[in-house]
C-alpha cells in the first residue's frame, strides 16, 4: 500500500536520529517552542487560537458529498484500557429496563414506561482530547501557571469546557501508514514518525493534504487497524507504538496547527527516543509549553479508505469534547464530513 517506491519502514529511522540526554532535549525544546503569553495572560485555548471564523467558513465549503465519518471508537467494556494509571474501560449499566416496564414496577401512570442507563469511565478511556491541564512541565501548567490550578475539584482555569466549540475547522488526514508503511498500510510498533515522513506523506497524497495554519491534523499510523485485524488489543494501551518523534515538535510549532490527533493510545512514539528513562516527553512540551491539544485513540480507518479512494484528504471536522467542567481531558465523537 506504499504510495511510492519506499519498501516500507524499519523500526529505526536510521543514522543521525540519536537524541541527546532527555533533560537537555527538553530544555532546548522548551526554549524554542514555548508559547506562553502569545495570546495574553488569561488564555485558556492555546493553539486553538490559530483557528478563526473565516477558516471555519472555508472548512464548511470543503463539504462536497455530505458524507459523514465518525472517528470515534465505541465506548464499551471491550475497549483498549488495561489499567495503566487506573484507567479502565467504560462500564455501562441499566438503571431501568424494558423488563421493569413489563413487570409494571416503575410506578408511572397511564402505561408510560422507559429505560435509563448510566456509565462509569475515566474521561480518557477511549477516543478523546487531552486538555491543557493534563500535563505539567516542572510543576508548571499552560501559560506559566502553577500546576496547582488542578485540584481535587478539577482544573479551575483551563478546564476542557472552555474548548467545547473550538475544535471545528479544516481537518487534514496524513495517512503515514499508507504512504510509507507495509502492505497493510501500517507502521511497526516503535517507529518514530519524523518530519521527513510527514512531508513525504503530504507530497504523496497531493495538494489537499497541504497543512495550513489553524488546521486540525490527523495522523494515521495503522496501529488501530492492526489491532482489529489481529483481534487482540495486546499492548495498545501504554505499550510500544508507532508515533510522532520528539523531533517533530519544531514542525508542530512552525506550521501553527490548532491541534493534532492520532490512532494510537499516546500519539508519540513508544518506546521513547532516549537512552535514559523518560515519560511522554513530547506531551511535556506540546501541552504545557506550546498549548497544543493532543487527541488519542481516534478511529481513522474508514476515513483513510475514503480519502485514498477519492484522493481528497481535507474535510470539515467537528470534534467537540464533552464539556465536563474542570476536566483535563474528555471523550469525543469526532465527525469528518467530506
Amino acid at each position: 500500500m506504499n504510495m511510492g517506491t519506499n519498501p516500507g519502514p524499519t523500526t529505526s529511522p536510521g543514522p543521525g536520529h540519536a537524541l541527546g540526554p532527555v533533560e537537555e532535549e527538553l530544555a532546548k525544546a522548551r526554549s524554542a517552542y514555548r508559547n506562553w503569553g502569545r495570546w495574553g495572560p488569561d488564555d485558556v485555548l492555546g493553539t486553538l487560537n490559530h483557528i478563526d471564523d473565516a477558516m471555519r467558513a472555508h472548512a464548511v465549503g470543503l463539504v462536497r458529498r455530505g458524507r459523514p465519518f465518525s472517528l470515534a471508537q465505541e465506548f464499551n467494556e471491550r475497549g483498549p484500557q488495561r489499567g495503566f494509571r487506573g484507567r479502565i474501560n467504560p462500564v455501562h449499566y441499566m438503571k431501568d429496563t424494558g423488563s421493569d416496564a413489563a413487570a409494571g414496577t416503575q410506578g408511572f401512570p397511564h402505561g408510560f414506561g422507559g429505560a435509563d442507563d448510566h456509565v462509569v469511565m475515566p474521561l480518557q478511556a477511549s477516543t478523546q482530547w487531552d486538555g491543557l491541564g493534563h500535563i505539567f512541565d516542572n510543576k508548571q501548567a499552560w501559560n506559566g501557571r502553577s500546576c496547582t490550578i488542578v485540584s481535587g475539584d478539577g482544573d479551575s482555569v483551563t478546564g476542557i469546557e472552555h474548548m467545547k466549540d473550538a475544535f471545528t475547522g479544516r481537518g487534514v488526514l496524513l495517512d503515514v501508514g499508507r504512504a510509507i508503511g507495509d502492505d497493510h498500510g501500517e507502521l511497526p510498533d516503535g517507529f518514530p514518525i519524523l518530519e521527513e515522513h510527514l512531508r513525504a506523506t503530504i507530497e504523496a497524497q497531493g495538494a489537499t493534504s497541504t497543512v495550513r495554519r489553524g488546521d486540525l491534523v490527523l495522523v494515521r499510523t495503522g496501529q488501530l487497524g492492526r489491532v482489529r485485524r489481529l483481534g487482540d488489543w495486546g499492548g495498545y494501551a501504554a505499550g510500544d507504538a508507532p508515533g510522532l518523534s520528539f523531533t517533530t515538535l519544531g514542525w508542530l510549532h512552525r506550521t501553527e496547527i490548532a491541534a493534532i490527533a492520532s490512532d494510537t493510545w499516546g500519539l508519540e512514539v513508544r518506546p521513547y527516543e532516549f537512552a535514559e528513562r523518560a515519560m511522554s516527553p513530547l506531551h511535556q512540551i506540546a501541552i504545557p509549553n506550546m498549548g497544543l491539544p493532543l487527541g488519542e485513540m481516534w478511529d481513522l480507518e474508514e476515513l483513510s479508505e475514503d480519502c485514498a479512494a477519492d484522493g481528497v484528504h481535507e474535510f470539515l471536522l467537528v470534534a467537540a469534547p464533552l464539556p465536563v467542567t474542570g476536566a483535563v481531558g474528555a471523550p469525543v465523537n469526532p465527525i469528518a464530513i467530506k
Side-chain angles (χ1 to χ4, degrees):
M1 297 179 72
N2 298 323
M3 292 181 177
T5 58
N6 190 319
T10 65
T11 55
S12 170
H17 181 63
L19 297 178
V22 64
E23 292 282 4
E24 177 182 310
E25 295 291 344
L26 285 168
K28 289 190 295 186
R30 193 180 291 125
S31 175
Y33 311 131
R34 179 172 279 176
N35 281 330
W36 290 0
R38 183 170 182 174
W39 297 286
D42 300 323
D43 180 67
V44 295
L45 294 179
T47 54
L48 288 169
N49 284 289
H50 287 315
I51 312 178
D52 59 30
D53 289 347
M55 293 175 182
R56 293 190 176 96
H58 169 76
V60 171
L62 298 176
V63 177
R64 296 288 188 268
R65 293 151 48 202
R67 174 71 190 278
F69 298 87
S70 170
L71 310 182
Q73 298 188 41
E74 291 188 14
F75 286 70
N76 57 47
E77 295 181 58
R78 301 178 299 280
Q81 299 300 332
R82 293 294 181 269
F84 179 77
R85 298 191 73 182
R87 292 182 185 172
I88 61 170
N89 293 311
V91 178
H92 174 224
Y93 65 94
M94 303 304 299
K95 181 179 180 296
D96 288 308
T97 69
S99 297
D100 297 323
T105 59
Q106 293 185 308
F108 300 127
H110 51 75
F112 179 89
D116 207 24
D117 46 3
H118 294 187
V119 66
V120 177
M121 59 176 279
L123 293 180
Q124 300 186 41
S126 190
T127 307
Q128 55 96 28
W129 283 117
D130 285 344
L132 296 183
H134 178 49
I135 300 294
F136 312 126
D137 179 22
N138 287 290
K139 303 180 182 179
Q140 291 180 297
W142 164 241
N143 227 19
R145 301 177 177 101
S146 168
C147 62
T148 57
I149 63 169
V150 183
S151 68
D153 294 323
D155 185 339
S156 62
V157 178
T158 54
I160 202 109
E161 71 274 12
H162 296 291
M163 299 176 165
K164 63 185 178 182
D165 56 4
F167 290 99
T168 302
R170 178 180 182 254
V172 180
L173 176 68
L174 300 186
D175 194 346
V176 184
R178 189 180 297 270
I180 68 168
D182 61 19
D183 289 341
H184 293 288
E186 300 163 4
L187 300 175
D189 290 342
F191 181 81
I193 298 172
L194 308 179
E195 180 177 338
E196 66 192 66
H197 299 133
L198 298 174
R199 292 200 311 266
T201 299
I202 293 169
E203 182 178 357
Q205 292 181 171
T208 62
S209 60
T210 300
V211 174
R212 306 168 186 163
R213 178 177 178 269
D215 283 347
L216 303 164
V217 176
L218 311 181
V219 176
R220 180 185 171 274
T221 70
Q223 190 192 39
L224 181 59
R226 178 166 63 249
V227 163
R228 289 189 176 142
R229 181 168 55 81
L230 299 178
D232 180 10
W233 283 111
Y236 179 83
D240 293 353
L244 292 182
S245 166
F246 184 83
T247 62
T248 60
L249 283 163
W251 184 87
L252 297 173
H253 187 260
R254 186 173 65 254
T255 53
E256 296 188 325
I257 62 173
I260 190 165
S262 186
D263 57 350
T264 68
W265 178 86
L267 186 115
E268 59 187 291
V269 64
R270 294 171 62 96
Y272 306 120
E273 304 157 280
F274 298 93
E276 70 268 48
R277 182 173 180 266
M279 179 64 184
S280 300
L282 185 145
H283 278 63
Q284 189 173 342
I285 298 300
I287 294 177
N289 287 288
M290 198 182 300
L292 180 70
L294 306 180
E296 295 157 343
M297 295 177 281
W298 288 39
D299 185 351
L300 305 176
E301 293 304 292
E302 186 181 7
L303 176 65
S304 73
E305 292 292 336
D306 190 84
C307 290
D310 71 1
V312 177
H313 292 79
E314 62 180 352
F315 37 83
L316 171 65
L317 181 62
V318 181
L322 193 67
V324 179
T325 302
V328 300
V332 59
N333 178 20
I335 304 294
I337 309 175
K338 294 184 68 179

